[in-house]
Amino acid sequence: MNETVDSVDKIKNRLKRPAVVFEIGGFRPPEDPLTPWFGKVTVAARAERWPTNADGTPMWALGQVNLAALDYVPEALKDVAFLTIFFGPKHPQQEDPNGTNWLIRTYASLEELAPLEPMKTSSHLKPFPMRPGEPVEDYPVWDGGDIPEDITDLILQLEDEGKIEDYHDLIELHGGFKIGGHPCFIQPGMSVGESFEFVLQIDSTEKGNLMWGHDSGCAYFFRDPRTNEWRMTWDCY
């Protein structure tokens, strides 16, 4: 029994990463313009305006996060105090670079932020204030490529010995709108490049009227902290 406990502890210690999952709506919006939002962006740098695509169509506000107020921030975002996210109105494609059909803006200091003049867009998203939860232990999906080979072998050994029925009996996956942790890939084999670290996930949400792809998809955002270059990908059922 102790050997099984030691194996489980080894698996969890190797795989777990902290994550902050946001509660979307269900409470009165605070007046603070730096409040986290889904479907709304309230601030930008003083010289920035509402972003548009190359054809001049305004993007939709997808959300904003005050990283300076979180109890946990992944290492790849340590130099970022605040970020805002836009996308659409054309659905982003996996190969689209930051600034084409989606956009993430980052700010090193809250002091550089000023109110962003709102723009009338065609967005169908329903805006809600968000509230960060306490950091939780997050784990990778089984076929997402984030489990080292020796840990995979150990999990399969426990299954073969009847000590566990399935990998997911050991761990808990956290979806939703989250900072940090692991991406909850729906389709296996997703990759954006070795220098990019996963930092942000935004799920489809019926409440917010957001759907990635045709069926309950999810978007994943990755950052190279050395260059502040971003990449995103999404998948669905």
Side-chain angles (χ1 to χ4, degrees):
M1 181 65 179
N2 288 337
E3 184 178 342
T4 300
V5 172
D6 290 343
S7 295
V8 170
D9 287 343
K10 179 179 179 180
I11 291 168
K12 288 187 171 183
N13 288 334
R14 285 283 296 280
L15 298 181
K16 67 182 179 182
R17 293 180 186 169
V20 173
V21 183
F22 288 82
E23 174 187 358
I24 299 179
F27 56 96
R28 183 180 295 276
E31 295 182 2
D32 185 356
L34 303 184
T35 293
W37 276 92
F38 171 87
K40 185 175 181 178
V41 172
T42 64
V43 295
R46 289 173 176 81
E48 288 179 329
R49 298 294 179 263
W50 195 276
T52 60
N53 281 302
D55 61 1
T57 57
M59 291 185 175
W60 300 353
L62 183 50
Q64 65 180 33
V65 177
N66 184 356
L67 296 165
L70 299 184
D71 291 333
Y72 167 76
V73 175
E75 193 64 34
L77 288 176
K78 288 292 188 182
D79 61 332
V80 178
F82 200 93
L83 63 81
T84 60
I85 317 157
F86 301 85
F87 84 130
K90 181 181 178 181
H91 200 298
Q93 303 302 305
Q94 269 84 344
E95 65 273 12
D96 287 342
N98 190 17
T100 300
N101 298 319
W102 67 278
L103 173 69
I104 287 187
R105 290 171 168 174
T106 60
Y107 307 93
S109 170
L110 301 182
E111 295 178 356
E112 64 183 288
L113 298 173
L116 176 63
E117 183 177 352
M119 171 79 74
K120 183 175 178 58
T121 74
S122 59
S123 176
H124 53 66
L125 300 187
K126 298 178 181 178
F128 289 98
M130 299 195 300
R131 187 156 50 200
E134 295 294 323
V136 295
E137 291 182 359
D138 194 35
Y139 295 87
V141 295
W142 174 245
D143 53 0
D146 284 343
I147 303 179
E149 184 175 352
D150 64 318
I151 296 299
T152 297
D153 292 341
L154 182 55
I155 294 167
L156 293 175
Q157 178 183 335
L158 291 177
E159 291 182 2
D160 291 341
E161 295 173 352
K163 304 292 179 57
I164 61 172
E165 291 187 12
D166 183 79
Y167 162 68
H168 291 94
D169 292 338
L170 301 176
I171 56 89
E172 183 176 359
L173 303 176
H174 296 279
F177 193 123
K178 74 178 179 184
I179 296 285
H182 291 270
C184 292
F185 291 132
I186 299 168
Q187 304 294 337
M190 307 285 286
S191 177
V192 298
E194 292 184 0
S195 65
F196 290 84
E197 299 180 39
F198 170 75
V199 293
L200 170 65
Q201 174 175 308
I202 303 177
D203 265 332
S204 294
T205 164
E206 183 176 352
K207 184 176 188 177
N209 203 30
L210 171 65
M211 181 69 70
W212 295 102
H214 298 293
D215 187 5
S216 302
C218 188
Y220 318 97
F221 297 85
F222 302 77
R223 182 178 186 243
D224 184 336
R226 298 169 301 177
T227 63
N228 194 28
E229 184 180 356
W230 287 79
R231 291 184 183 173
M232 71 91 73
T233 188
W234 59 268
D235 57 5
C236 63
Y237 292 96

